């Protein structure tokens, strides 16, 4: 009788360890999915330090106010894009970027505009938000 009790004990121990292992893997998978979603939404936050942007672009006082307004609208549009799914998300990002660069072109001179495009493209590329066609 002793050997069969020992065998049952080993089977129970294995079953218990397998259950713990499965729960651990499930928890890890769920945690990674949640982290991926959070990072994805955070990538669409386009908030910038306006003082540093003003220095980088050598903006005048009037330009700073206009750029702040344009960028505020752009940031809001990007946050809305973050809340949508699939192709609609890409379309919203594309429209937001197009509007932003159109309005910035109106406010900035040629040199400032080129610098702004470089900064915007770098940011979009680094965050994986660039729209590829």
């Amino acid at each position: 009788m002793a050997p069969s009790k020992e065998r049952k004990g080993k089977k129970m121990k294995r079953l218990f360890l397998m259950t713990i292992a499965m729960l651990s893997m499930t928890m890890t998978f769920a945690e990674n999915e949640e982290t991926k979603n959070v990072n994805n939404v955070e990538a669409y936050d386009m908030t910038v330090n306006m003082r540093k942007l003003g220095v980088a672009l050598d903006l005048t006082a009037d330009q700073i106010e206009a750029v702040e307004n344009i960028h505020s609208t752009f940031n809001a549009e990007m946050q809305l894009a973050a809340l949508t799914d699939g192709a609609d998300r890409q379309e919203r990002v594309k429209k937001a970027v197009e509007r932003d660069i159109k309005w910035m072109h109106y406010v900035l001179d040629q040199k400032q505009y080129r610098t702004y495009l470089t900064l915007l493209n770098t940011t979009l590329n680094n965050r994986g938000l660039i729209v590829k066609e």
Side-chain angles (χ1 to χ4, degrees):
M1 273 199 145
S4 82
K5 275 189 176 182
E6 189 176 303
R7 221 183 293 155
K8 282 185 183 179
K10 285 185 180 182
K11 284 184 181 180
M12 288 298 290
K13 186 176 181 180
R14 280 188 202 157
L15 181 63
F16 179 73
L17 290 175
M18 284 179 42
T19 304
I20 295 296
M22 292 296 285
L23 287 173
S24 298
M25 288 189 296
T26 303
M27 297 285 262
T28 302
F29 176 74
E31 182 180 323
N32 288 341
E33 284 297 311
E34 185 175 317
T35 303
K36 183 179 176 184
N37 288 338
V38 169
N39 289 339
N40 195 15
V41 171
E42 288 173 354
Y44 290 83
D45 182 10
M46 302 302 286
T47 305
V48 297
N49 183 327
M50 279 297 158
R51 184 182 306 167
K52 288 183 180 182
L53 183 62
V55 169
L57 298 177
D58 194 27
L59 299 176
T60 65
D62 290 336
Q63 285 178 317
I64 289 173
E65 185 177 339
V67 167
E68 281 179 355
N69 290 332
I70 293 167
H71 191 73
S72 177
T73 302
F74 176 62
N75 195 26
E77 290 174 352
M78 291 297 284
Q79 291 296 320
L80 286 173
L83 300 175
T84 59
D85 293 323
D88 191 36
R89 176 183 283 181
Q90 286 298 322
E91 188 62 31
R92 283 182 181 252
V93 169
K94 183 179 176 183
K95 285 182 180 181
V97 170
E98 287 172 354
R99 262 188 235 118
D100 183 60
I101 60 176
K102 180 176 98 176
W103 293 341
M104 287 295 188
H105 191 261
Y106 180 74
V107 172
L108 303 174
D109 66 30
Q110 198 62 30
K111 182 181 176 190
Q112 292 168 328
Y113 182 68
R114 278 191 310 238
T115 304
Y116 180 75
L117 286 179
T118 302
L119 293 171
L120 182 63
N121 281 331
T122 302
T123 301
L124 293 173
N125 278 325
N126 287 344
R127 295 181 183 194
L129 301 177
I130 201 75
V131 179
K132 303 210 180 198
E133 295 182 22

